[in-house]
Amino acid sequence: RGTPDGTTLGVRQVQSQIHRLNVARGRVWANTQPQRVDQATGEATVMPPPEAVYYKPEDKPENTQLSIFVQPGPQTQPAYLGEFQIVGTANGHKVWQIRPTRTLSPRELGRLQQASRALWIMYEKIPSFTPEILAGLEQAPAAGAEGGKVSLPRMVDYRQIFDYQFVERSKLHDLIESAKNDLKGLKSGETAGDLEIKQLESEVAKYKTLLAEAQRQRDAVAAHLQLVEAKRAEFQAKVDATIQENQATARKIAEAQFEAARRIEERTRRAVSAAGP
């Protein structure tokens, strides 16, 4: 990040200085002569000046992207013609066949056809700035300079900034939609949870009623059991008393039977003694 006093530059400051030095520009082919322009498709045959051809015979410039403008001159005004792609070369890369990278509207085709009578200037890459680089370009004015910003190049591709902001907006939109979906899911879960809570509370109330009824029945059975136990104890006492009475009566009967048998045996013995031999 560098130091606040500027004695040591940070990465952003170094990138800004490098960017200002080369303005991120690729190769440029000025004074390009259009040879033929297809009125239906916008395909064109162009011939860059020999001193501006930077391709060697063994190179393959096909698929190179070009941003083409009308070259300003005493009788011509600069105008943007569109983005093109090299689809083929001839004569040692001295003649190029270029094709629009997108379908041109009738107005754009007419403008391209009208511009075929002027010289073209072709840029391999238009200088562009990201928001970070633009932030780094803002610096304190030099001694005697007016304003507090570094002057930007005359030709800058600001579409990259717009695309960057569009991508960031799309990301934020996606985040918002994702948050909305999450909120919707949470609300749906909350509703389902509330419904389940109500069902559980209803079941709890039902089981509380059943529990109270079971407890009532248990208490009634316990009270009835106490009565039955009391009756059983009373009946058991009567049975025990009857058994004791029966045992006493049986004992008396046994004693009487024993006494009667003794007497009969004694009488029999007396009768035998009286009869003699």
Side-chain angles (χ1 to χ4, degrees), residues 54-104:
Y54 302 115
Y55 288 111
K56 299 178 181 179
E58 62 272 16
D59 293 338
K60 295 181 180 180
E62 287 79 1
N63 300 325
T64 301
Q65 300 290 325
L66 300 172
S67 297
I68 301 180
F69 296 80
V70 175
Q71 183 169 316
Q75 304 297 328
T76 57
Q77 295 295 324
Y80 177 65
L81 300 179
E83 292 183 354
F84 291 77
Q85 180 181 5
I86 300 177
V87 296
T89 63
N91 193 16
H93 302 323
K94 293 182 180 181
V95 178
W96 297 355
Q97 185 70 22
I98 60 176
R99 177 187 301 162
T101 57
R102 61 178 180 83
T103 302
L104 300 180

Short mmCIF file of all heavy atoms in Angstrom, two decimals, residues 54-104:
data_model
loop_
_atom_site.label_atom_id
_atom_site.label_comp_id
_atom_site.label_asym_id
_atom_site.label_seq_id
_atom_site.Cartn_x
_atom_site.Cartn_y
_atom_site.Cartn_z
N TYR A 54 3.18 -5.23 -38.71
CA TYR A 54 4.08 -5.79 -37.71
C TYR A 54 4.02 -7.32 -37.68
O TYR A 54 4.50 -7.94 -36.74
CB TYR A 54 3.73 -5.25 -36.33
CG TYR A 54 3.80 -3.74 -36.25
CD1 TYR A 54 2.65 -3.00 -36.03
CD2 TYR A 54 5.01 -3.07 -36.42
CE1 TYR A 54 2.71 -1.62 -35.95
CE2 TYR A 54 5.07 -1.69 -36.35
CZ TYR A 54 3.92 -0.97 -36.12
OH TYR A 54 3.97 0.40 -36.05
N TYR A 55 3.43 -7.91 -38.69
CA TYR A 55 3.34 -9.37 -38.72
C TYR A 55 4.41 -9.93 -39.64
O TYR A 55 4.61 -9.46 -40.76
CB TYR A 55 1.96 -9.83 -39.21
CG TYR A 55 0.87 -9.61 -38.20
CD1 TYR A 55 -0.12 -8.66 -38.42
CD2 TYR A 55 0.83 -10.37 -37.04
CE1 TYR A 55 -1.12 -8.46 -37.49
CE2 TYR A 55 -0.17 -10.17 -36.10
CZ TYR A 55 -1.15 -9.22 -36.34
OH TYR A 55 -2.14 -9.03 -35.43
N LYS A 56 5.11 -10.94 -39.19
CA LYS A 56 6.07 -11.65 -40.01
C LYS A 56 5.36 -12.69 -40.86
O LYS A 56 4.24 -13.08 -40.56
CB LYS A 56 7.12 -12.32 -39.12
CG LYS A 56 7.91 -11.35 -38.25
CD LYS A 56 8.90 -12.11 -37.37
CE LYS A 56 9.68 -11.14 -36.49
NZ LYS A 56 10.64 -11.85 -35.60
N PRO A 57 5.97 -13.15 -41.93
CA PRO A 57 5.32 -14.14 -42.79
C PRO A 57 4.90 -15.40 -42.03
O PRO A 57 3.89 -16.02 -42.36
CB PRO A 57 6.37 -14.45 -43.85
CG PRO A 57 7.21 -13.21 -43.92
CD PRO A 57 7.25 -12.69 -42.51
N GLU A 58 5.66 -15.78 -41.02
CA GLU A 58 5.32 -17.02 -40.30
C GLU A 58 4.26 -16.78 -39.21
O GLU A 58 3.78 -17.74 -38.60
CB GLU A 58 6.57 -17.63 -39.66
CG GLU A 58 7.25 -16.77 -38.61
CD GLU A 58 8.28 -15.83 -39.22
OE1 GLU A 58 8.24 -15.64 -40.47
OE2 GLU A 58 9.11 -15.28 -38.47
N ASP A 59 3.89 -15.53 -38.94
CA ASP A 59 2.87 -15.26 -37.94
C ASP A 59 1.49 -15.63 -38.45
O ASP A 59 1.26 -15.74 -39.67
CB ASP A 59 2.89 -13.78 -37.54
CG ASP A 59 4.16 -13.43 -36.79
OD1 ASP A 59 4.78 -14.35 -36.24
OD2 ASP A 59 4.51 -12.24 -36.77
N LYS A 60 0.57 -15.79 -37.53
CA LYS A 60 -0.82 -16.09 -37.88
C LYS A 60 -1.72 -15.05 -37.21
O LYS A 60 -2.14 -15.22 -36.07
CB LYS A 60 -1.20 -17.50 -37.41
CG LYS A 60 -0.43 -18.60 -38.12
CD LYS A 60 -0.88 -19.97 -37.63
CE LYS A 60 -0.12 -21.08 -38.36
NZ LYS A 60 -0.52 -22.43 -37.92
N PRO A 61 -1.96 -13.94 -37.90
CA PRO A 61 -2.74 -12.86 -37.29
C PRO A 61 -4.24 -13.14 -37.24
O PRO A 61 -5.00 -12.31 -36.72
CB PRO A 61 -2.44 -11.67 -38.19
CG PRO A 61 -2.19 -12.29 -39.53
CD PRO A 61 -1.50 -13.60 -39.26
N GLU A 62 -4.69 -14.26 -37.81
CA GLU A 62 -6.12 -14.53 -37.81
C GLU A 62 -6.68 -14.49 -36.38
O GLU A 62 -6.01 -14.84 -35.42
CB GLU A 62 -6.42 -15.88 -38.45
CG GLU A 62 -6.26 -15.90 -39.97
CD GLU A 62 -4.80 -16.02 -40.40
OE1 GLU A 62 -3.93 -16.10 -39.50
OE2 GLU A 62 -4.53 -15.99 -41.62
N ASN A 63 -7.95 -14.05 -36.29
CA ASN A 63 -8.70 -13.93 -35.03
C ASN A 63 -8.27 -12.73 -34.19
O ASN A 63 -8.78 -12.55 -33.08
CB ASN A 63 -8.60 -15.19 -34.18
CG ASN A 63 -9.14 -16.42 -34.89
OD1 ASN A 63 -10.12 -16.32 -35.64
ND2 ASN A 63 -8.52 -17.57 -34.68
N THR A 64 -7.32 -11.90 -34.70
CA THR A 64 -6.97 -10.69 -33.98
C THR A 64 -8.15 -9.73 -33.98
O THR A 64 -8.78 -9.50 -35.03
CB THR A 64 -5.74 -10.02 -34.61
OG1 THR A 64 -4.63 -10.93 -34.58
CG2 THR A 64 -5.38 -8.74 -33.86
N GLN A 65 -8.47 -9.17 -32.82
CA GLN A 65 -9.58 -8.24 -32.70
C GLN A 65 -9.09 -6.83 -33.01
O GLN A 65 -8.01 -6.42 -32.55
CB GLN A 65 -10.17 -8.31 -31.28
CG GLN A 65 -10.71 -9.67 -30.89
CD GLN A 65 -11.97 -10.04 -31.64
OE1 GLN A 65 -12.80 -9.18 -31.94
NE2 GLN A 65 -12.12 -11.31 -31.95
N LEU A 66 -9.88 -6.09 -33.75
CA LEU A 66 -9.52 -4.73 -34.14
C LEU A 66 -10.68 -3.78 -33.85
O LEU A 66 -11.84 -4.13 -34.09
CB LEU A 66 -9.18 -4.66 -35.63
CG LEU A 66 -8.01 -5.53 -36.12
CD1 LEU A 66 -7.95 -5.48 -37.65
CD2 LEU A 66 -6.70 -5.06 -35.52
N SER A 67 -10.35 -2.61 -33.33
CA SER A 67 -11.33 -1.53 -33.20
C SER A 67 -10.96 -0.50 -34.26
O SER A 67 -9.85 0.04 -34.25
CB SER A 67 -11.29 -0.91 -31.80
OG SER A 67 -11.65 -1.86 -30.83
N ILE A 68 -11.88 -0.23 -35.17
CA ILE A 68 -11.57 0.58 -36.36
C ILE A 68 -12.31 1.91 -36.29
O ILE A 68 -13.50 1.96 -35.95
CB ILE A 68 -11.94 -0.19 -37.64
CG1 ILE A 68 -11.15 -1.51 -37.69
CG2 ILE A 68 -11.68 0.65 -38.88
CD1 ILE A 68 -11.43 -2.35 -38.92
N PHE A 69 -11.55 2.97 -36.64
CA PHE A 69 -12.10 4.32 -36.68
C PHE A 69 -11.77 4.94 -38.03
O PHE A 69 -10.81 4.53 -38.71
CB PHE A 69 -11.49 5.20 -35.58
CG PHE A 69 -11.82 4.74 -34.20
CD1 PHE A 69 -11.12 3.68 -33.61
CD2 PHE A 69 -12.81 5.38 -33.46
CE1 PHE A 69 -11.41 3.28 -32.33
CE2 PHE A 69 -13.09 4.97 -32.17
CZ PHE A 69 -12.41 3.91 -31.60
N VAL A 70 -12.56 5.92 -38.40
CA VAL A 70 -12.18 6.77 -39.54
C VAL A 70 -11.05 7.66 -39.09
O VAL A 70 -11.14 8.32 -38.05
CB VAL A 70 -13.38 7.61 -40.02
CG1 VAL A 70 -12.94 8.58 -41.12
CG2 VAL A 70 -14.48 6.70 -40.54
N GLN A 71 -9.95 7.68 -39.86
CA GLN A 71 -8.80 8.48 -39.47
C GLN A 71 -9.10 9.94 -39.75
O GLN A 71 -9.48 10.31 -40.87
CB GLN A 71 -7.57 8.02 -40.24
CG GLN A 71 -6.29 8.76 -39.85
CD GLN A 71 -5.06 8.10 -40.44
OE1 GLN A 71 -4.94 6.89 -40.41
NE2 GLN A 71 -4.17 8.91 -40.98
N PRO A 72 -8.98 10.79 -38.73
CA PRO A 72 -9.29 12.21 -38.97
C PRO A 72 -8.30 12.84 -39.93
O PRO A 72 -7.12 12.48 -39.97
CB PRO A 72 -9.19 12.81 -37.57
CG PRO A 72 -8.29 11.89 -36.81
CD PRO A 72 -8.55 10.53 -37.35
N GLY A 73 -8.80 13.75 -40.73
CA GLY A 73 -7.97 14.45 -41.70
C GLY A 73 -8.58 15.79 -42.04
O GLY A 73 -9.60 16.19 -41.45
N PRO A 74 -7.96 16.49 -42.98
CA PRO A 74 -8.50 17.82 -43.34
C PRO A 74 -9.93 17.76 -43.82
O PRO A 74 -10.71 18.70 -43.58
CB PRO A 74 -7.54 18.29 -44.44
CG PRO A 74 -6.29 17.51 -44.21
CD PRO A 74 -6.72 16.19 -43.71
N GLN A 75 -10.31 16.67 -44.53
CA GLN A 75 -11.65 16.58 -45.10
C GLN A 75 -12.53 15.54 -44.40
O GLN A 75 -13.68 15.33 -44.82
CB GLN A 75 -11.54 16.22 -46.59
CG GLN A 75 -10.69 17.16 -47.41
CD GLN A 75 -11.25 18.57 -47.45
OE1 GLN A 75 -12.47 18.76 -47.40
NE2 GLN A 75 -10.37 19.57 -47.52
N THR A 76 -12.01 14.86 -43.39
CA THR A 76 -12.78 13.78 -42.73
C THR A 76 -12.82 14.01 -41.23
O THR A 76 -11.89 14.56 -40.64
CB THR A 76 -12.14 12.41 -43.01
OG1 THR A 76 -10.78 12.41 -42.58
CG2 THR A 76 -12.22 12.08 -44.49
N GLN A 77 -13.93 13.56 -40.65
CA GLN A 77 -14.11 13.64 -39.21
C GLN A 77 -13.96 12.23 -38.62
O GLN A 77 -14.33 11.24 -39.24
CB GLN A 77 -15.51 14.19 -38.87
CG GLN A 77 -15.73 15.62 -39.30
CD GLN A 77 -14.83 16.58 -38.55
OE1 GLN A 77 -14.56 16.38 -37.36
NE2 GLN A 77 -14.37 17.62 -39.23
N PRO A 78 -13.36 12.12 -37.42
CA PRO A 78 -13.22 10.79 -36.83
C PRO A 78 -14.58 10.18 -36.51
O PRO A 78 -15.53 10.89 -36.14
CB PRO A 78 -12.40 11.06 -35.56
CG PRO A 78 -12.66 12.50 -35.24
CD PRO A 78 -12.86 13.20 -36.55
N ALA A 79 -14.68 8.88 -36.69
CA ALA A 79 -15.93 8.17 -36.43
C ALA A 79 -15.61 6.72 -36.09
O ALA A 79 -14.68 6.14 -36.66
CB ALA A 79 -16.88 8.24 -37.62
N TYR A 80 -16.35 6.17 -35.20
CA TYR A 80 -16.15 4.77 -34.81
C TYR A 80 -16.92 3.88 -35.78
O TYR A 80 -18.12 4.09 -36.01
CB TYR A 80 -16.65 4.56 -33.38
CG TYR A 80 -16.56 3.13 -32.90
CD1 TYR A 80 -15.33 2.51 -32.75
CD2 TYR A 80 -17.71 2.42 -32.60
CE1 TYR A 80 -15.24 1.20 -32.29
CE2 TYR A 80 -17.64 1.11 -32.15
CZ TYR A 80 -16.40 0.50 -31.99
OH TYR A 80 -16.33 -0.79 -31.55
N LEU A 81 -16.23 2.87 -36.34
CA LEU A 81 -16.85 2.00 -37.33
C LEU A 81 -17.24 0.64 -36.76
O LEU A 81 -18.09 -0.04 -37.34
CB LEU A 81 -15.90 1.81 -38.53
CG LEU A 81 -15.52 3.09 -39.27
CD1 LEU A 81 -14.57 2.78 -40.42
CD2 LEU A 81 -16.77 3.81 -39.79
N GLY A 82 -16.62 0.22 -35.66
CA GLY A 82 -17.01 -1.04 -35.06
C GLY A 82 -15.83 -1.92 -34.73
O GLY A 82 -14.67 -1.57 -34.98
N GLU A 83 -16.14 -3.08 -34.20
CA GLU A 83 -15.12 -4.07 -33.87
C GLU A 83 -15.09 -5.14 -34.96
O GLU A 83 -16.13 -5.66 -35.36
CB GLU A 83 -15.41 -4.71 -32.51
CG GLU A 83 -15.26 -3.76 -31.35
CD GLU A 83 -15.48 -4.45 -30.01
OE1 GLU A 83 -15.86 -5.65 -30.04
OE2 GLU A 83 -15.27 -3.82 -28.97
N PHE A 84 -13.88 -5.47 -35.40
CA PHE A 84 -13.70 -6.43 -36.49
C PHE A 84 -12.70 -7.50 -36.06
O PHE A 84 -12.00 -7.36 -35.04
CB PHE A 84 -13.20 -5.72 -37.75
CG PHE A 84 -14.23 -4.81 -38.38
CD1 PHE A 84 -14.51 -3.56 -37.83
CD2 PHE A 84 -14.91 -5.21 -39.52
CE1 PHE A 84 -15.44 -2.74 -38.41
CE2 PHE A 84 -15.85 -4.37 -40.11
CZ PHE A 84 -16.12 -3.13 -39.56
N GLN A 85 -12.62 -8.53 -36.86
CA GLN A 85 -11.73 -9.64 -36.62
C GLN A 85 -11.03 -10.01 -37.92
O GLN A 85 -11.66 -10.07 -38.98
CB GLN A 85 -12.51 -10.85 -36.08
CG GLN A 85 -11.67 -12.07 -35.78
CD GLN A 85 -12.53 -13.21 -35.26
OE1 GLN A 85 -13.75 -13.13 -35.23
NE2 GLN A 85 -11.89 -14.29 -34.90
N ILE A 86 -9.71 -10.23 -37.83
CA ILE A 86 -8.97 -10.65 -39.02
C ILE A 86 -9.31 -12.11 -39.31
O ILE A 86 -9.12 -12.98 -38.46
CB ILE A 86 -7.45 -10.47 -38.82
CG1 ILE A 86 -7.10 -9.01 -38.54
CG2 ILE A 86 -6.69 -10.97 -40.05
CD1 ILE A 86 -5.63 -8.78 -38.25
N VAL A 87 -9.83 -12.37 -40.52
CA VAL A 87 -10.20 -13.74 -40.88
C VAL A 87 -9.24 -14.33 -41.91
O VAL A 87 -9.28 -15.54 -42.18
CB VAL A 87 -11.65 -13.79 -41.41
CG1 VAL A 87 -12.62 -13.40 -40.31
CG2 VAL A 87 -11.82 -12.86 -42.61
N GLY A 88 -8.38 -13.49 -42.48
CA GLY A 88 -7.43 -14.00 -43.45
C GLY A 88 -6.51 -12.90 -43.95
O GLY A 88 -6.82 -11.71 -43.84
N THR A 89 -5.34 -13.30 -44.43
CA THR A 89 -4.37 -12.34 -44.97
C THR A 89 -3.85 -12.87 -46.31
O THR A 89 -3.99 -14.05 -46.63
CB THR A 89 -3.19 -12.14 -44.01
OG1 THR A 89 -2.50 -13.38 -43.85
CG2 THR A 89 -3.68 -11.65 -42.65
N ALA A 90 -3.25 -11.97 -47.05
CA ALA A 90 -2.66 -12.34 -48.34
C ALA A 90 -1.44 -11.46 -48.59
O ALA A 90 -1.26 -10.43 -47.93
CB ALA A 90 -3.69 -12.17 -49.47
N ASN A 91 -0.62 -11.91 -49.53
CA ASN A 91 0.55 -11.13 -49.94
C ASN A 91 1.46 -10.83 -48.76
O ASN A 91 1.85 -9.69 -48.52
CB ASN A 91 0.12 -9.84 -50.65
CG ASN A 91 1.28 -9.17 -51.37
OD1 ASN A 91 2.32 -9.80 -51.60
ND2 ASN A 91 1.09 -7.91 -51.75
N GLY A 92 1.77 -11.91 -47.97
CA GLY A 92 2.68 -11.72 -46.83
C GLY A 92 2.11 -10.83 -45.76
O GLY A 92 2.84 -10.00 -45.21
N HIS A 93 0.84 -11.00 -45.46
CA HIS A 93 0.14 -10.23 -44.42
C HIS A 93 0.02 -8.76 -44.79
O HIS A 93 -0.26 -7.95 -43.90
CB HIS A 93 0.86 -10.35 -43.06
CG HIS A 93 1.00 -11.76 -42.56
ND1 HIS A 93 0.02 -12.73 -42.74
CD2 HIS A 93 2.02 -12.37 -41.90
CE1 HIS A 93 0.44 -13.87 -42.21
NE2 HIS A 93 1.65 -13.70 -41.71
N LYS A 94 0.15 -8.43 -46.04
CA LYS A 94 0.02 -7.02 -46.43
C LYS A 94 -1.41 -6.66 -46.79
O LYS A 94 -1.76 -5.48 -46.86
CB LYS A 94 0.94 -6.72 -47.62
CG LYS A 94 2.42 -6.83 -47.26
CD LYS A 94 3.30 -6.49 -48.45
CE LYS A 94 4.78 -6.58 -48.10
NZ LYS A 94 5.64 -6.24 -49.25
N VAL A 95 -2.23 -7.65 -47.04
CA VAL A 95 -3.65 -7.43 -47.33
C VAL A 95 -4.44 -8.27 -46.32
O VAL A 95 -4.20 -9.46 -46.17
CB VAL A 95 -4.01 -7.84 -48.76
CG1 VAL A 95 -5.50 -7.63 -49.01
CG2 VAL A 95 -3.18 -7.04 -49.77
N TRP A 96 -5.39 -7.61 -45.66
CA TRP A 96 -6.15 -8.29 -44.62
C TRP A 96 -7.62 -8.38 -45.03
O TRP A 96 -8.18 -7.43 -45.61
CB TRP A 96 -6.07 -7.54 -43.29
CG TRP A 96 -4.67 -7.45 -42.72
CD1 TRP A 96 -3.54 -8.03 -43.21
CD2 TRP A 96 -4.28 -6.71 -41.57
NE1 TRP A 96 -2.46 -7.72 -42.43
CE2 TRP A 96 -2.88 -6.91 -41.41
CE3 TRP A 96 -4.95 -5.92 -40.65
CZ2 TRP A 96 -2.17 -6.31 -40.37
CZ3 TRP A 96 -4.24 -5.35 -39.63
CH2 TRP A 96 -2.86 -5.53 -39.48
N GLN A 97 -8.21 -9.51 -44.68
CA GLN A 97 -9.65 -9.68 -44.81
C GLN A 97 -10.23 -9.62 -43.40
O GLN A 97 -9.86 -10.42 -42.54
CB GLN A 97 -9.98 -11.03 -45.48
CG GLN A 97 -11.46 -11.24 -45.78
CD GLN A 97 -11.95 -10.35 -46.91
OE1 GLN A 97 -11.14 -9.88 -47.74
NE2 GLN A 97 -13.24 -10.08 -46.95
N ILE A 98 -11.10 -8.66 -43.17
CA ILE A 98 -11.66 -8.48 -41.82
C ILE A 98 -13.17 -8.64 -41.86
O ILE A 98 -13.82 -8.42 -42.89
CB ILE A 98 -11.28 -7.10 -41.24
CG1 ILE A 98 -11.81 -5.97 -42.13
CG2 ILE A 98 -9.77 -6.99 -41.07
CD1 ILE A 98 -11.56 -4.58 -41.58
N ARG A 99 -13.72 -9.04 -40.73
CA ARG A 99 -15.16 -9.31 -40.63
C ARG A 99 -15.67 -8.72 -39.32
O ARG A 99 -15.01 -8.82 -38.28
CB ARG A 99 -15.42 -10.81 -40.66
CG ARG A 99 -16.89 -11.23 -40.50
CD ARG A 99 -16.99 -12.74 -40.38
NE ARG A 99 -16.43 -13.38 -41.56
CZ ARG A 99 -16.05 -14.65 -41.60
NH1 ARG A 99 -16.15 -15.40 -40.50
NH2 ARG A 99 -15.56 -15.17 -42.71
N PRO A 100 -16.87 -8.10 -39.32
CA PRO A 100 -17.42 -7.57 -38.06
C PRO A 100 -17.64 -8.70 -37.05
O PRO A 100 -18.02 -9.81 -37.41
CB PRO A 100 -18.75 -6.94 -38.49
CG PRO A 100 -18.61 -6.69 -39.96
CD PRO A 100 -17.73 -7.79 -40.48
N THR A 101 -17.37 -8.39 -35.79
CA THR A 101 -17.56 -9.41 -34.75
C THR A 101 -19.02 -9.57 -34.37
O THR A 101 -19.38 -10.52 -33.67
CB THR A 101 -16.76 -9.04 -33.50
OG1 THR A 101 -17.16 -7.72 -33.05
CG2 THR A 101 -15.26 -9.02 -33.80
N ARG A 102 -19.89 -8.67 -34.80
CA ARG A 102 -21.32 -8.79 -34.57
C ARG A 102 -22.06 -8.27 -35.80
O ARG A 102 -21.47 -7.61 -36.66
CB ARG A 102 -21.75 -7.99 -33.33
CG ARG A 102 -21.48 -6.51 -33.44
CD ARG A 102 -21.96 -5.76 -32.19
NE ARG A 102 -21.70 -4.33 -32.28
CZ ARG A 102 -22.48 -3.46 -32.91
NH1 ARG A 102 -23.59 -3.88 -33.52
NH2 ARG A 102 -22.16 -2.17 -32.95
N THR A 103 -23.33 -8.59 -35.88
CA THR A 103 -24.13 -8.16 -37.02
C THR A 103 -24.33 -6.66 -36.97
O THR A 103 -24.74 -6.10 -35.95
CB THR A 103 -25.48 -8.88 -37.02
OG1 THR A 103 -25.26 -10.30 -37.04
CG2 THR A 103 -26.29 -8.50 -38.25
N LEU A 104 -24.03 -5.99 -38.08
CA LEU A 104 -24.16 -4.53 -38.15
C LEU A 104 -25.58 -4.16 -38.60
O LEU A 104 -26.20 -4.87 -39.41
CB LEU A 104 -23.14 -3.95 -39.12
CG LEU A 104 -21.65 -4.20 -38.77
CD1 LEU A 104 -20.75 -3.55 -39.82
CD2 LEU A 104 -21.31 -3.67 -37.39
#
